[in-house]
């Protein structure tokens, strides 16, 4: 699935969650507190998701492997670069 489609779908999900929650809060006595809790939970859940999503798009840390280990992987794996030659 395309990353833009995933971003739009899940952002719209959390937006609709907050909107429907605010509309449902009109039926309760403490509607201000309920609206605040629903909007705060929607924003925090969206923020948690978007930070995780963006961290997976461009990771800052990659695996660090010794040069001997890389040579060993290239020489022992059947589909490696050295076996193709």
């Amino acid at each position: 699935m395309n990353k833009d489609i995933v971003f739009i779908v899940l952002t719209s999900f959390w937006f609709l969650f907050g909107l429907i929650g605010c509309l449902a809060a009109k039926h309760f006595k403490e509607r201000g507190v309920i609206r605040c809790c629903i909007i705060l939970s929607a924003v925090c859940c969206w923020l948690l998701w978007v930070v995780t999503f963006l961290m997976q798009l461009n990771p800052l840390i990659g695996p660090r492997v010794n040069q001997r280990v890389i040579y060993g992987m290239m020489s022992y794996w059947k589909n490696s670069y050295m076996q193709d030659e």
Side-chain angles (χ1 to χ4, degrees):
M1 193 179 273
N2 193 1
K3 63 185 176 205
D4 298 330
I5 295 172
V6 172
F7 183 78
I8 291 169
V9 167
L10 285 172
T11 299
S12 62
F13 169 77
W14 286 114
F15 178 75
L16 288 174
F17 176 82
L19 185 67
I20 292 170
C22 286
L23 294 175
K26 289 183 179 180
H27 302 299
F28 295 101
K29 183 179 178 184
E30 297 290 331
R31 59 182 146 257
V33 175
I34 293 173
R35 278 187 194 152
C36 181
C37 290
I38 289 173
I39 291 174
L40 190 61
S41 64
V43 168
C44 288
C45 287
W46 178 81
L47 195 59
L48 176 77
W49 172 81
V50 80
V51 166
T52 305
F53 180 72
L54 292 176
M55 286 293 292
Q56 290 177 4
L57 284 179
N58 189 14
L60 296 175
I61 301 171
R64 295 185 181 191
V65 182
N66 191 355
Q67 190 173 6
R68 292 179 66 194
V69 174
I70 293 173
Y71 182 72
M73 289 189 306
M74 289 174 61
S75 61
Y76 290 119
W77 287 354
K78 293 181 181 179
N79 59 354
S80 69
Y81 177 73
M82 291 182 70
Q83 297 291 338
D84 291 339
E85 292 179 349

